[in-house]
Amino acid sequence: MTSIKEQLISLEKHAMSDLKQIETEQGLDEWRINYQGRRNGQLPKLLEELPKLPIEDRREVGIAANKLRDTLEIGYNERLQEIKNSELQEKLLEETIDVSLPGRKQTLGKLHPTTQTIREISSIFVNLGYQIVDGPEVESDYYNFEALNIPPDHPARDQWDTLWLDYNNEEGIRPLLLRTHTSPMQIRTMENQEPPIRVIVPGRCYRHEATDTTHESMFFQIEGLAVDKGITFADLKGTLYTFARKLFGAERKIRFRCDFFPFVEPGVDMSIDCFSCDGIGCRVCSNTGWIEIMGAGMVHPDVLKRVGYDPDVYTGFAFGMGPERISMLKHGIDDIRHFYTNDLRFLEQF
Ligand code: DAH
């Protein structure tokens, strides 16, 4: 039979090698119960044999047993500390934020170049006392044409290639179309307001048109209308002159030439001297030195009569321009189709 002393040595060996394998606090408790538990622990069990030893051996074995008890206790505490440390480590790792990781990029949206131009133009007129109004893109033949002195079958209609709506037209309902210009809002505004009127109308227009570098089937226009007692052509010139200088620079010259639009009399087109070459002649102005930027004129007396204004009392002027054309001129854009093909390489430049 192996002596108690030898058994103590082998118990220590087993206990300490078991201890190294333990990874959890629960495992550690089980280990302690297994070796030191009061009832069935291996060490207390062994010590039950102590009284059976010859008296001279008891002291020596007792000392060895106490030493082993201390060793187990120290081993227990050390392992407990190790387990706690590694749990903490794991928790810390879980909660760690990797500060070296680059942040997620926030992409910043921007206004569409046309919106930017419309806002720039609008704010110039708002500062001159104009109101911004909005109108329907689906219009009736009456507002888009007839009320603007463009009767059915009149050759002037050729100027506006129209997209008609496939709409079952019952008697009394006027034919519908996609507005070809923002001018119908002249009529709607005068019907709804009393003079003095100062409005601008930015909005989408549509034409049944083959597209090319200067034509799109959908584009924007900004219409303007001023009606009051005593408005003359001088007011038209003064207003549009101020506008052109605000938008294109204080040194700009302007030029008016006669043009025909059925709803104004006289009608004009307005040009500025080329801001790119100062009038010498270049690609931007097609070597003419001048750039046309809008149509305008004095509101036709028949248009005023149609909305119930007395043309002997009230007069007014109207104008219409294309913001895409203006932004093409300002930024040197060579194709109007860039605006609405949604290519970010184009849009991000503005
Ligand atoms: N509506 C015209 C067009 O689409 C532009 C225009 C010309 C508007 C003269 C006006 C104006 O108000 O007076 O071509």
Side-chain angles (χ1 to χ4, degrees):
M1 193 184 104
T2 42
S3 72
I4 297 188
K5 246 176 109 178
E6 280 166 355
Q7 287 184 57
L8 283 176
I9 290 165
S10 114
L11 197 151
E12 178 173 352
K13 234 168 83 187
H14 280 117
M16 295 319 273
S17 91
D18 278 1
L19 190 61
K20 280 191 201 134
Q21 319 288 324
I22 292 168
E23 300 290 348
T24 62
E25 283 185 46
Q26 196 197 342
L28 202 56
D29 282 339
E30 283 162 12
W31 176 88
R32 192 186 217 177
I33 291 163
N34 179 26
Y35 286 101
Q36 287 167 286
R38 251 183 244 153
R39 286 212 189 122
N40 292 311
Q42 293 190 37
L43 182 58
K45 268 250 154 84
L46 200 62
L47 294 182
E48 281 170 16
E49 308 292 319
L50 207 56
K52 293 177 195 162
L53 287 182
I55 208 111
E56 60 273 18
D57 289 346
R58 269 188 225 165
R59 203 180 118 79
E60 202 190 333
V61 173
I63 289 170
N66 280 339
K67 226 181 111 201
L68 177 56
R69 197 181 288 124
D70 290 348
T71 307
L72 294 182
E73 200 54 34
I74 290 166
Y76 171 88
N77 284 324
E78 279 178 1
R79 190 72 193 134
L80 181 64
Q81 211 49 53
E82 281 170 13
I83 290 172
K84 281 197 168 151
N85 282 347
S86 76
E87 276 172 3
L88 185 69
Q89 207 63 32
E90 254 171 52
K91 215 169 151 214
L92 281 177
L93 272 179
E94 259 172 40
E95 290 173 2
T96 308
I97 299 163
D98 181 358
V99 287
S100 68
L101 193 73
R104 285 203 187 92
K105 205 176 160 196
Q106 292 284 340
T107 45
L108 245 190
K110 279 196 226 171
L111 291 177
H112 189 278
T114 301
T115 310
Q116 292 182 33
T117 309
I118 289 175
R119 291 200 181 176
E120 199 183 343
I121 292 170
S122 300
S123 82
I124 294 174
F125 283 103
V126 165
N127 284 323
L128 293 173
Y130 283 68
Q131 228 185 319
I132 302 174
V133 294
D134 207 7
E137 290 172 27
V138 172
E139 257 306 358
S140 68
D141 183 271
Y142 178 75
Y143 287 109
N144 197 82
F145 290 127
E146 284 171 56
L148 290 165
N149 286 345
I150 313 163
D153 306 320
H154 191 283
R157 286 206 177 192
D158 292 351
Q159 209 178 319
W160 295 278
D161 291 315
T162 309
L163 287 157
W164 297 94
L165 292 185
D166 189 8
Y167 169 75
N168 208 352
N169 188 18
E170 290 160 29
E171 220 181 341
I173 296 180
R174 290 157 170 163
L176 293 180
L177 48 84
L178 293 178
R179 69 175 172 196
T180 58
H181 49 181
T182 41
S183 306
M185 276 308 287
Q186 292 185 25
I187 309 298
R188 288 183 182 274
T189 305
M190 287 189 282
E191 280 180 351
N192 290 324
Q193 294 183 23
E194 292 297 320
I197 285 172
R198 307 265 189 286
V199 292
I200 54 161
V201 191
R204 280 173 210 273
C205 304
Y206 302 84
R207 294 207 190 155
H208 185 247
E209 196 138 44
T211 62
D212 60 27
T213 54
T214 53
H215 295 88
E216 254 291 16
S217 48
M218 191 287 294
F219 56 95
F220 282 77
Q221 274 192 354
I222 300 179
E223 191 80 15
L225 175 70
V227 183
D228 205 344
K229 284 180 186 157
I231 288 196
T232 68
F233 198 85
D235 296 306
L236 179 158
K237 283 176 80 173
T239 303
L240 298 184
Y241 191 42
T242 305
F243 162 73
R245 290 190 144 200
K246 278 252 155 66
L247 193 64
F248 290 103
E251 65 291 347
R252 288 284 65 81
K253 296 187 196 106
I254 55 167
R255 180 186 75 177
F256 290 99
R257 290 191 303 183
C258 285
D259 202 348
F260 171 72
F261 301 98
F263 39 91
V264 284
E265 182 58 36
V268 293
D269 72 54
M270 184 180 118
S271 303
I272 52 170
D273 63 328
C274 181
F275 50 80
S276 183
C277 63
D278 279 328
I280 296 162
C282 70
R283 255 188 53 176
V284 177
C285 58
S286 316
N287 282 315
T288 62
W290 294 94
I291 302 170
E292 279 179 31
I293 60 167
M294 68 172 101
M298 299 304 289
V299 181
H300 197 289
D302 287 349
V303 173
L304 293 172
K305 272 187 226 155
R306 205 168 281 118
V307 296
Y309 291 3
D310 181 350
D312 291 331
V313 179
Y314 292 110
T315 49
F317 63 85
F319 52 90
M321 66 187 109
E324 289 94 347
R325 176 168 162 73
I326 285 174
S327 104
M328 285 168 79
L329 290 168
K330 285 192 87 166
H331 301 295
I333 299 163
D334 58 5
D335 194 326
I336 192 173
R337 292 170 292 194
H338 287 316
F339 285 101
Y340 307 113
T341 38
N342 289 334
D343 188 334
L344 287 178
R345 290 170 303 179
F346 171 76
L347 296 173
E348 278 172 349
Q349 296 178 52
F350 302 96

